[in-house]
Amino acid sequence: MKNHLSEPLIEKIRVLKKSKNAVILAHYYQIPEIQDIADFVGDSLGLAQNALQTTADIIVFAGVHFMAETAKILNPTKKVLIPDLNAGCSLADSCPPDKFRLFKSNYPDHIVISYINCSAEIKTMSDVICTSGNAIKIVESFDKDQKIIFAPDKNLGGYINGLTGRNMVLWDGSCEVHDVIKTEEIIRLKEKYPDAKLIAHPECKAIILELADYIGSTTALLNYTRKSDFSRFIVATETGILHAMKKTSPDKEFFIVPTDKSCSCNDCPYMKMNTLEKLHACLYNEGPELKLSKSVIQKAKKPILRMLKLSV
Ligand code: 13P
Ligand code: SF4
C-alpha cells in the first residue's frame, strides 16, 4: 500500500539496505509500508527463526524491543538496529525482573516457561521460551506432572492450561491491546455479519477465546484466512495483520474488532512507533543499536535455542 510521497524514501532504504548488507525483519503489526519493504514479515517465531539464519551484517528489526533483543541474543556479533528504541511492549513491561525473581522463589520445584513477549532479563530466568505459535508444543514437551510457572501472559497461559489439562502457575500479566477487546463489539459485528468467522489471538481474554472459531498466532490467523472457504472474518487482534490478510486474500473481507470507538482499528501504540522515516534514519545512522551485556546474552540464549530446537 505505497503512496507516491513515500516512494523516494523507499528507494533510499533499498539502496542503503543493499550497500550495508542489511536485512529488514518486520512483524505483521507494522504499518503496511514497512511490511512491504521488509525482507521477511512474520510472527514472533518466524522472526526468531529468520534472525537465526540470516547472513546479513546488520539486522534492522521493525517490531518491538523484546523482538529485537531476541535477534541480538541469537546474533551477538551482528549489529541489531531498531527504528525506535522506545517501542516497548505492555505485556513485557507487566513482568518486572525483580518482582518475577521473588515470585519464582516461591515455587522452587517449578520450571519456568516464558512467552517470548518478555524482557531479556526474564528470559535469563526461564528454562524455555515459547511463542503463540508453538506454546502448546513447548508445554507438552514436559511430563504431565512437571510443575510449571508460565509468564507473563495470563490469557495465553490460561488458554494453554485449558487445552492441555495442565495447572501452570500464571504470572498476572497481559497485553494492553488484546486484553481490552470487548465482547460487545464482537457481538455487534457478529450481528452485522452473521456469516463471518471470528478469529482471535490467544492474548485475548478467555471470554473472547471461547467465542472464537479459530485461535492462533498472527501467522496462523493469516494462514487460516488464506485456506478457509469462508469469505468474511471478524479479526480479534492488532490492525496491522489486515494488510497481509487483504494482500493474500483480496476477495475476502476482514473486520477488525475496534477498541477505539472513533476508528475501526485496534493499534498497538508501540508497534506503530516505527515509521518509514525512522527506518530510513536508523539504517543511515546505523543506530539506535540494540545492546545487551554478554552475560545476559549467554543466559538468555539457552531457553531461546531450546525453543527453536523444539519447534522444528
Ligand atoms: P505473534 O507471535 O502471534 O505474532 O504475536 C506477537 C505479539 O506481540 C502479539 O501481540
Ligand atoms: Fe506487546 Fe500487545 Fe503490542 Fe503485542 S500488541 S507488542 S503484546 S503491547
Side-chain angles (χ1 to χ4, degrees):
M1 210 195 281
K2 277 174 240 160
N3 79 48
H4 69 285
L5 293 173
S6 50
E7 281 295 339
L9 206 50
I10 289 170
E11 197 40 44
K12 282 185 193 167
I13 293 171
R14 282 213 176 94
V15 172
L16 278 171
K17 202 165 64 122
K18 202 166 172 206
S19 67
K20 296 190 180 212
N21 189 27
V23 69
I24 300 177
L25 306 183
H27 187 264
Y28 284 124
Y29 296 163
Q30 291 296 289
I31 56 167
E33 293 86 345
I34 292 185
Q35 291 190 42
D36 288 346
I37 200 172
D39 297 284
F40 177 79
V41 188
D43 64 1
S44 308
L45 178 62
L47 288 163
Q49 286 167 330
N50 219 275
L52 185 67
Q53 284 159 8
T54 185
T55 53
D57 296 314
I58 296 179
I59 298 173
V60 182
F61 214 108
V64 290
H65 200 267
F66 77 82
M67 295 178 173
E69 277 187 340
T70 305
K72 182 68 186 174
I73 292 162
L74 293 171
N75 292 282
T77 58
K78 290 191 201 298
K79 232 180 207 178
V80 175
L81 309 176
I82 180 162
D84 191 326
L85 261 183
N86 294 317
C89 166
S90 61
L91 178 52
D93 289 347
S94 70
C95 192
D98 26 332
K99 289 204 175 130
F100 184 70
R101 192 168 288 111
L102 200 66
F103 177 81
K104 186 182 162 180
S105 69
N106 294 324
Y107 302 95
D109 52 351
H110 287 53
I111 59 129
V112 176
I113 302 182
S114 292
Y115 184 37
I116 198 162
N117 296 41
C118 65
S119 65
E121 223 178 316
I122 297 294
K123 290 185 175 78
T124 66
M125 291 182 247
S126 308
D127 293 278
V128 63
I129 304 303
C130 75
T131 74
S132 51
N134 61 17
I136 294 161
K137 200 172 183 181
I138 301 291
V139 170
E140 291 198 320
S141 71
F142 292 95
D143 284 345
K144 265 259 183 234
D145 51 4
Q146 172 66 59
K147 292 177 179 164
I148 300 171
I149 294 174
F150 187 87
D153 190 13
K154 63 177 177 192
N155 291 334
L156 175 63
Y159 170 63
I160 302 166
N161 269 346
L163 276 185
T164 61
R166 308 271 170 146
N167 188 22
M168 300 187 293
V169 176
L170 308 179
W171 175 264
D172 187 12
S174 61
C175 154
E176 72 177 45
V177 178
H178 291 85
D179 201 47
V180 297
I181 291 180
K182 292 186 181 60
T183 19
E184 306 88 82
E185 288 302 311
I186 290 180
I187 291 164
R188 188 181 59 76
L189 283 166
K190 271 274 193 196
E191 278 169 5
K192 201 166 170 192
Y193 307 107
D195 57 327
K197 288 274 161 197
L198 170 63
I199 59 173
H201 194 279
E203 285 173 21
C204 294
K205 274 192 177 24
I207 175 89
I208 310 282
L209 300 180
E210 275 158 30
L211 292 170
D213 297 297
Y214 183 75
I215 298 162
S217 76
T218 50
T219 297
L221 296 178
L222 175 65
N223 288 339
Y224 176 81
T225 59
R226 181 172 54 83
K227 289 183 195 154
S228 172
D229 292 333
F230 286 83
S231 57
R232 281 180 163 167
F233 302 90
I234 297 167
V235 184
T237 188
E238 210 266 0
T239 321
I241 189 71
L242 293 198
H243 179 60
M245 287 178 175
K246 286 176 188 163
K247 238 169 128 172
T248 320
S249 309
D251 299 330
K252 295 182 181 176
E253 287 183 279
F254 304 94
F255 310 99
I256 204 85
V257 186
T259 50
D260 182 347
K261 287 257 183 288
S262 64
C263 75
S264 56
C265 64
N266 182 9
D267 284 328
C268 167
Y270 313 100
M271 286 281 183
K272 296 308 196 255
M273 279 182 185
N274 295 330
T275 60
L276 267 188
E277 287 76 13
K278 288 183 196 172
L279 182 62
H280 171 258
C282 104
L283 250 176
Y284 184 82
N285 299 319
E286 296 192 18
E289 184 181 352
L290 199 129
K291 294 206 168 144
L292 285 170
S293 75
K294 265 195 187 142
S295 75
V296 165
I297 290 179
Q298 223 172 21
K299 286 186 209 147
K301 199 170 188 168
K302 234 172 115 182
I304 298 174
L305 288 179
R306 187 168 178 187
M307 166 187 84
L308 292 173
K309 215 167 157 189
L310 286 167
S311 305
V312 285

